[in-house]
Amino acid sequence: FIRLPLVRLPPRSVIHINFVPYDLAFDARPIWTELRDAVGRNGLGTTTADRLRKKYGKTAEHLATRHYLMKQAVGELKSALVDICSQVPDQWFDVPVEDRALKGAACERARDRVLLAIDSFLFEFRSYLDLLAKFVHGVLVAINRGPFRTERLASGKSVEIMGNGGKLKPYNFLLYLVDVLSIPTDWLSFLVVQRNFFTHEGAPYCAIEDRLERPPVYDLIIMKTNIIDFTKADPDSFFRVSECQLVVDGIRALSAATQDYLQKALRTL
């Protein structure tokens, strides 16, 4: 059996879709402006500036695309939550908790929709951070403001920024970056732990948390295993979707602070 190479022919006709980014969490365009203005000053030549734009221009575009995918992921997650919580019958107010279980095709579709939404949320936000780490580290190194191979954080913990072969370790660099910018790390740790588990180890389950308030107030619980009795469950085996807001807020803060940090670094060359 001989496997023939795939021949991908160019399309005969294409309808392009417009993409003009605006109001980005992290906007590389002001960075390029500062880079252009810095050319000729001490420490930055035209060659370095051209090399930076060429090497990280596509990364900047990818960041803009991920920005909108993150925005869409948040919107879809909110919509999916409304959908699945609408499956709870109003007359369940007096039904014992142990007798409440949603069933049926509509419920299953809503369940799968919310699980897909949470998976998309974790993937898109983590991918965005990897791109941000690559871009920021590349610019800092090019202007001789990059970190050492190993850095000590304010907590006293040491993190290895570069691995074997000089390859960047994005998560460790992000830990260094949030430390430099004095941004809390709880949301970052949360995102990385959950995304790694659902990408490499398991699949999500979900249940609706009834906060026993009237009018009804619900939250969605995402589980790493099918938990029956939460009083006996490991707290690390589940999380509430409401906790995802910490990730949204954290990435907004990091993106804004990082953009300002890079612009100031370029101005001081």
Side-chain angles (χ1 to χ4, degrees):
F1 178 76
I2 299 176
R3 182 181 295 275
L4 297 176
L6 174 66
V7 179
R8 182 171 291 111
L9 299 176
R12 297 176 61 189
S13 178
V14 172
I15 300 172
H16 290 284
I17 301 172
N18 190 43
F19 180 68
V20 180
Y22 57 93
D23 294 334
L24 298 174
F26 178 88
D27 195 337
R29 288 169 294 191
I31 307 300
W32 300 139
T33 299
E34 295 290 351
L35 187 65
R36 181 196 64 210
D37 294 342
V39 170
R41 297 201 296 259
N42 292 333
L44 186 68
T46 303
T47 301
T48 300
D50 290 343
R51 180 172 54 83
L52 264 175
R53 281 190 289 261
K54 182 177 180 180
K55 187 172 183 178
Y56 295 105
K58 289 296 182 183
T59 305
E61 294 176 9
H62 298 331
L63 275 166
T65 300
R66 288 291 178 196
H67 167 93
Y68 287 103
L69 291 177
M70 288 192 303
K71 187 176 180 180
Q72 188 65 30
V74 171
E76 177 60 19
L77 181 56
K78 289 180 178 179
S79 178
L81 287 174
V82 172
D83 186 12
I84 197 167
C85 290
S86 70
Q87 305 296 320
V88 181
D90 294 335
Q91 62 269 28
W92 273 16
F93 181 79
D94 295 321
V95 176
V97 173
E98 62 271 15
D99 295 333
R100 296 189 294 179
L102 296 176
K103 299 178 182 179
C107 174
E108 291 173 1
R109 284 194 298 271
R111 175 203 63 201
D112 294 343
R113 182 187 176 196
V114 79
L115 292 179
L116 181 61
I118 195 67
D119 202 55
S120 175
F121 176 93
L122 295 173
F123 177 85
E124 294 300 340
F125 277 70
R126 185 67 181 93
S127 296
Y128 174 89
L129 285 176
D130 280 349
L131 289 170
L132 185 67
K134 177 183 178 181
F135 183 90
V136 175
H137 182 266
V139 173
L140 289 176
V141 169
I143 63 175
N144 296 317
R145 299 292 178 87
F148 293 109
R149 184 184 182 91
T150 300
E151 287 281 353
R152 184 176 296 275
L153 307 181
S155 64
K157 176 183 177 181
S158 293
V159 292
E160 188 181 38
I161 307 297
M162 307 297 291
N164 295 332
K167 187 176 181 180
L168 176 67
K169 293 188 172 184
Y171 177 58
N172 286 355
F173 175 68
L174 289 167
L175 288 176
Y176 162 79
L177 192 58
V178 296
D179 190 65
V180 168
L181 299 174
S182 300
I183 295 175
T185 61
D186 51 350
W187 63 273
L188 178 58
S189 301
F190 169 83
L191 173 62
V192 170
V193 167
Q194 306 307 334
R195 194 263 186 173
N196 286 350
F197 178 86
F198 291 122
T199 299
H200 303 294
E201 298 183 49
Y205 299 80
C206 66
I208 298 172
E209 179 181 22
D210 184 354
R211 294 184 179 174
L212 301 179
E213 300 176 19
R214 293 299 176 266
V217 176
Y218 301 122
D219 201 345
L220 194 73
I221 300 173
I222 302 297
M223 303 171 284
K224 296 179 179 178
T225 185
N226 193 12
I227 301 171
I228 303 301
D229 186 351
F230 281 89
T231 63
K232 300 177 182 178
D234 183 340
D236 292 332
S237 64
F238 67 92
F239 67 88
R240 293 171 174 83
V241 169
S242 57
E243 295 175 61
C244 291
Q245 186 61 45
L246 294 173
V247 177
V248 176
D249 295 341
I251 280 190
R252 284 175 179 164
L254 175 60
S255 298
T258 299
Q259 183 174 326
D260 184 61
Y261 180 65
L262 285 182
Q263 289 180 248
K264 288 180 177 178
L266 287 165
R267 290 190 200 117
T268 57
L269 289 177

